[in-house]
Amino acid sequence: MIEKPLTPADVEFVTTLHGGDPVSFVVLMQPRGSKDRLLRAIDDIALGELEQAAQEGEEPEGKEALEPAERALNHSVAALEAAGSRARGHVVQRRPLEVLRGVVEETQADEVIVLTAPHFVEEFFHRDWASRARHKVGVPVLKLFAHAVDEDQPSAGG
């Protein structure tokens, strides 16, 4: 599961986690939702990113976030493939944890990687994707912090 397009550092990190073993990925990305706006703003403030907190209301959400999410997903899948991994992806609009569980069962995945920015409020209350996924998927869930997105990479609206 990802929130933003994978950076080259993210791609290198996830594709080398298991040494030289071949790996394949099913990348799930959920477009931003308005219900998360307050939590994102609080996280921005906690990280000292006041300007970003003030701009949360300007970020595309809902249907407007779908196209940027698809671009970011396509970029990420292409980057994983360019690194030599098999990859496919889906933008998930509803019930992301149920979709994730279905993907794990369908592919007989060995693990789930949640690549995310720090979310202090959600993590404190165990409402972040990784914490919630651990109770749903039946395989180990590895939570990694994503690298910053370069300016010339496609945006996922965030």
Side-chain angles (χ1 to χ4, degrees):
M1 292 187 85
I2 61 173
E3 298 175 320
K4 296 183 179 189
L6 298 177
T7 66
D10 294 329
V11 171
E12 181 179 354
F13 191 41
V14 299
T15 58
T16 60
L17 278 173
H18 299 289
D21 294 340
V23 292
S24 62
F25 297 91
V26 177
V27 182
L28 301 179
M29 172 173 270
Q30 184 178 28
R32 296 177 74 130
S34 59
K35 68 179 181 177
D36 301 325
R37 185 183 306 152
L38 177 60
L39 289 176
R40 290 192 311 260
I42 292 171
D43 282 336
D44 291 339
I45 292 168
L47 291 168
E49 298 171 355
L50 300 179
E51 185 175 320
Q52 195 168 349
Q55 294 175 351
E56 280 297 339
E58 299 171 15
E59 294 290 335
E61 296 176 341
K63 291 181 181 179
E64 291 178 4
L66 188 56
E67 185 179 326
E70 288 176 355
R71 279 196 315 267
L73 176 65
N74 291 337
H75 165 83
S76 299
V77 168
L80 290 166
E81 289 174 338
S85 295
R86 290 189 350 231
R88 61 185 167 106
H90 306 285
V91 172
V92 180
Q93 295 184 53
R94 295 190 183 132
R95 297 185 160 119
L97 294 174
E98 290 180 25
V99 172
L100 178 61
R101 182 175 50 205
V103 167
V104 167
E105 291 171 0
E106 171 193 328
T107 62
Q108 297 181 330
D110 294 322
E111 69 184 355
V112 168
I113 299 172
V114 177
L115 195 65
T116 181
H119 296 292
F120 296 119
V121 175
E122 292 178 23
E123 290 170 20
F124 180 79
F125 291 107
H126 302 286
R127 300 297 303 158
D128 59 300
W129 289 120
S131 296
R132 293 169 58 197
R134 285 185 181 108
H135 301 287
K136 292 271 186 187
V137 298
V139 297
V141 176
L142 180 60
K143 178 178 176 177
L144 304 174
F145 290 116
H147 293 79
V149 175
D150 295 335
E151 291 298 318
D152 58 341
Q153 286 188 320
S155 172

